[in-house]
Amino acid sequence: MDLAIGTVSYGKPVMAPCLIPVEHKSTPNCINAPFMVNGECYKVTAMSFCSPHGVVFTGNVDSVDVRETGQLLGTHSLFPKGASIVFAQVLDGETIKVRIWQQNKGETGFSAEAVCIAGVTAMMLHKVLTDRVKVCAGNQEFGVEWNRETNSVCLIRHEDFPEA
């Protein structure tokens, strides 16, 4: 993806379980739903712009075995077509750090869709305090802005991301 233009619109996040797809029936959306993997419970929020993703917040993304845990969650039976998994850590009231396990690729330093999904999830779960968040992915930083009135999401190159 070329972010030389500064901002890329991603449109509206897909939250309906049947459209992601994710097998989830207890609430209208799959938000912080428990996924059991090897006897451990992970709270997963499922979302998509183009492809299925799950976001898991953790206290320290550097301590996560992204390859193993990402694959186990991404191929979990609750994701019938599989999913990419984003592990996210809150750094402060406007910044998160992510590590990404991308379906069919393994751990990757950056995926624009994964960064947007992590940013929206952080805002939706009130992990950050604003409707825009700085996302550190690999050795890059991006801004994610979510306009809740229009339900539209933009990915912003860090250099073009206005300070709060």
Side-chain angles (χ1 to χ4, degrees):
M1 163 171 290
D2 179 15
L3 286 175
I5 59 172
T7 301
V8 177
S9 175
Y10 264 77
K12 298 177 181 183
V14 174
M15 298 291 296
C18 63
L19 298 176
I20 293 173
V22 60
E23 296 293 326
H24 180 76
K25 295 176 177 58
S26 62
T27 61
N29 299 322
C30 181
I31 299 171
N32 268 340
F35 280 47
M36 293 301 293
V37 172
N38 292 341
E40 192 166 341
C41 183
Y42 293 88
K43 300 278 184 133
V44 178
T45 298
M47 189 181 305
S48 175
F49 284 100
C50 298
S51 61
H53 281 72
V55 179
V56 176
F57 276 88
T58 182
N60 182 356
V61 294
D62 294 325
S63 68
V64 174
D65 184 342
V66 172
R67 185 183 65 164
E68 181 180 344
T69 308
Q71 180 168 358
L72 290 170
L73 288 169
T75 59
H76 195 284
S77 62
L78 293 174
F79 283 118
K81 294 185 178 180
S84 295
I85 303 296
V86 184
F87 298 94
Q89 173 187 348
V90 176
L91 298 179
D92 60 41
E94 59 188 36
T95 310
I96 63 173
K97 179 180 179 180
V98 299
R99 289 180 65 198
I100 303 161
W101 180 84
Q102 198 164 11
Q103 186 177 15
N104 302 321
K105 292 185 181 177
E107 185 169 3
T108 183
F110 174 75
S111 157
E113 184 177 12
V115 165
C116 286
I117 286 173
V120 170
T121 301
M123 291 179 261
M124 183 177 58
L125 297 177
H126 305 287
K127 302 279 187 184
V128 293
L129 308 174
T130 65
D131 285 342
R132 58 183 176 183
V133 60
K134 184 185 340 174
V135 180
C136 304
N139 58 2
Q140 303 178 70
E141 292 182 354
F142 292 91
V144 176
E145 191 167 80
W146 181 24
N147 182 326
R148 292 179 195 239
E149 287 181 26
T150 62
N151 196 26
S152 60
V153 177
C154 290
L155 179 67
I156 306 165
R157 185 178 58 185
H158 178 67
E159 300 84 44
D160 298 325
F161 191 60
E163 295 300 321

